Amino acid sequence: MVPPSRSLEDFTDLVSLAEVNQRDDPQTYARLRGRWGEVAPVELVPGIPVWLVMGYQEIIQVSRDERLFSRDSRHWRYLGKLQGSGSPLALMMTPQEHSHFADGEKHRRLRAPLDDGLEGLDEHRTSRATQAICLGLIAKFADRREADLVTEYAALVPMLAVASWFGIGTDDAGRLMEAMASLFVPGQDPRPGMEIMQQILSGLILAHQEDPVDDLTTALLRHPNYHDASEVTQAIVQLLAAGQEATVAWIAQTLRLILADSHLGGRLRGGRLGVEEALDEVLWRRPPAANIANRYALADCEIAGTRIRKGDALAVSYAAANTDPRVHGDDPWLEIGNRAHLAWGAGPHVCPAQRPSRTIVRIAVETVLTRLHDLRLAVPAEEISTAPSISTVCPAGLPVRFTGFS
Ligand code: HEM
């Protein structure tokens, strides 16, 4: 257990968050719990420590208490150091004018348009668009009878599908995706990528202002909570980026579990488990947003006996919370249909896109399972590695073979 008097800077030889994700193993959290309790010091990047909050109740406490735990990284004493480190993470953690970094009233003002806009999405239209996107991607590799279902499919579906909500076509969505990815390449000048994004999004807003169509861009532009079009642009960037990695991971992990895990795959093929249940099983066993560093202590305080100091950063570990022994009962029957996992977060910042992102993932998984015949892994399951990330756990690749398609 962490002695109450020690501060983050007192610890050396800490495990890094990237390593925790790379191991992708519930035992890692059990070991961290055994050594530190529900709150463990870990390294975000070399020389920058954060607290990893693992307990289910503790995460709920941190997520709900905005007066003590802010989302505004300007309260973090390491922000300047991270920005000077050249780490691609700096861009992700530098505050922007959207709901992610806001607390209290400002958060509610910027959050309501996201909830209203996503609530108003036409389920049938978005489903059809997602299905067409999935089939278009499959058509590109179908003749080969083999593919990498991560790089050629899962990594592409979410951006193209979310872009379609705004009326952004696949060509511009592809350019946006490349431009956004270029911002995170270490040592690469981010300005050309930013210019491309700016150009596509300002064109989109202008076109919708002149000729409003019934889509999410128009819904956001009409929302009374926004002060100007620049806030709408920020919201669009946020929605395009926020769920990207997690949705990719959710599709890829579900396919991986179905193809590599004979237990789950067998139950699915035997008809005892539907795709919906497989999706929930992934949310429990491999939450797509595994660990997210996004809370900053506004005052000295204590969580589960660990002393947190003003200016410390906290990473919430949804992956650890879902393995919290206090959450699971002894009766496996009570687990069926149980959606009490924390994969979507908790409190005021809880994911606003639960329903539409689930639709994307369900369609992406079902389309592959129904359209590709005799689908199987092309490599032994043990050879599938995890892509490096500090927040998600996603296979780096999923090579498959199939005998035909329809
Ligand atoms: C279409 C895909 C998605 C979009 C557009 C999206 C959008 C967002 C946005 C805008 C936020 C910030 C809300 C706020 O600050 O008030 C958020 C938070 C979050 N999302 Fe999503 N999301 C998507 C998919 C996912 C998926 C697949 C997962 C994991 C299953 C996920 C998990 C989370 C979590 C854990 C948070 C943080 C909650 C917290 O800090 O308390 N999201 N999402």
Side-chain angles (χ1 to χ4, degrees):
M1 305 294 149
V2 185
S5 57
R6 295 184 74 181
S7 69
L8 264 179
E9 285 70 23
D10 295 334
F11 304 101
T12 50
D13 287 337
L14 296 179
V15 64
S16 74
L17 254 191
E19 225 176 303
V20 170
N21 284 335
Q22 196 69 39
R23 286 186 199 157
D24 183 24
D25 169 17
Q27 286 311 314
T28 303
Y29 298 110
R31 278 194 293 275
L32 282 170
R33 275 200 179 95
R35 179 167 179 206
W36 303 105
E38 293 303 333
V39 183
V42 297
E43 211 166 42
L44 185 66
V45 294
I48 301 193
V50 300
W51 295 112
L52 187 68
V53 184
M54 294 179 288
Y56 187 97
Q57 283 308 332
E58 289 76 10
I59 289 180
I60 289 181
Q61 175 197 340
V62 165
S63 304
R64 287 190 180 154
D65 191 346
E66 292 176 284
R67 282 168 310 154
L68 210 45
F69 305 108
S70 169
R71 292 281 289 234
D72 186 343
S73 53
R74 279 168 289 219
H75 297 291
W76 183 28
R77 65 173 173 282
Y78 281 102
L79 181 62
K81 184 171 177 183
L82 182 70
Q83 287 169 329
S85 72
S87 163
L89 267 188
L91 187 63
M92 278 165 65
M93 297 181 77
T94 297
Q96 314 288 329
E97 284 302 307
H98 54 58
S99 73
H100 180 94
F101 294 95
D103 304 314
E105 271 179 39
K106 183 176 176 189
H107 172 259
R108 305 306 181 268
R109 177 176 75 78
L110 294 171
R111 165 74 188 228
L114 308 184
D115 288 328
D116 297 345
L118 293 171
E119 183 61 38
L121 279 176
D122 180 331
E123 177 103 28
H124 294 296
R125 187 142 43 105
T126 54
S127 298
R128 275 198 308 276
T130 306
Q131 171 84 353
I133 287 162
C134 294
L135 292 174
L137 291 170
I138 289 176
K140 290 188 186 170
F141 58 69
D143 286 338
R144 291 196 339 251
R145 304 291 194 262
E146 60 177 25
D148 180 335
L149 287 183
V150 174
T151 57
E152 295 180 86
Y153 189 73
L156 307 174
V157 173
M159 176 61 94
L160 299 177
V162 174
S164 75
W165 301 346
F166 296 102
I168 302 173
T170 45
D171 287 350
D172 273 347
R175 290 174 63 219
L176 267 177
M177 190 155 39
E178 272 175 32
M180 286 165 96
S182 75
L183 308 182
F184 299 98
V185 178
Q188 188 166 316
D189 183 359
R191 281 170 299 184
M194 283 181 175
E195 271 166 35
I196 293 173
M197 285 173 64
Q198 185 59 38
Q199 181 214 336
I200 295 174
L201 296 180
S202 50
L204 179 80
I205 299 241
L206 203 65
H208 279 74
Q209 281 167 333
E210 283 170 3
D211 183 12
V213 279
D214 178 18
D215 63 16
L216 189 50
T217 305
T218 300
L220 294 181
L221 277 168
R222 286 188 177 152
H223 205 285
N225 280 19
Y226 287 129
H227 294 158
D228 52 37
S230 123
E231 287 191 340
V232 176
T233 310
Q234 290 277 347
I236 297 176
V237 172
Q238 180 190 16
L239 286 167
L240 285 169
Q244 213 11 253
E245 249 198 289
T247 312
V248 172
W250 195 7
I251 297 171
Q253 287 287 32
T254 308
L255 290 171
R256 175 195 204 167
L257 279 186
I258 290 170
L259 295 170
D261 178 333
S262 53
H263 171 67
L264 183 65
R267 280 197 286 154
L268 199 68
R269 282 187 291 272
R272 274 168 292 140
L273 189 73
V275 168
E276 293 286 358
E277 285 85 358
L279 297 182
D280 283 335
E281 188 138 340
V282 172
L283 293 182
W284 267 113
R285 286 170 57 180
R286 292 289 184 277
N291 298 298
I292 307 188
N294 62 9
R295 256 86 182 181
Y296 311 95
L298 294 173
D300 290 356
C301 56
E302 214 186 89
I303 306 174
T306 298
R307 174 96 177 272
I308 310 293
R309 283 168 207 259
K310 181 178 174 184
D312 284 353
L314 297 107
V316 275
S317 179
Y318 303 116
N322 288 357
T323 65
D324 187 332
R326 294 173 295 180
V327 182
H328 300 279
D330 296 332
D331 184 352
W333 287 101
L334 292 177
E335 301 270 303
I336 296 170
N338 178 353
R339 288 190 175 170
H341 55 71
L342 285 185
W344 302 110
H349 291 269
V350 69
C351 183
Q354 298 178 35
R355 187 178 56 88
S357 66
R358 190 180 183 97
T359 302
I360 295 175
V361 176
R362 181 180 43 75
I363 291 175
V365 170
E366 278 175 355
T367 307
V368 159
L369 295 180
T370 52
R371 299 296 179 121
L372 301 180
H373 305 166
D374 306 319
L375 182 66
R376 63 200 179 284
L377 280 179
V379 296
E382 320 74 73
E383 283 179 23
I384 296 167
S385 60
T386 300
S389 168
I390 62 139
S391 51
T392 54
V393 178
C394 180
L398 212 50
V400 292
R401 289 209 186 89
F402 44 95
T403 53
F405 68 100
S406 54

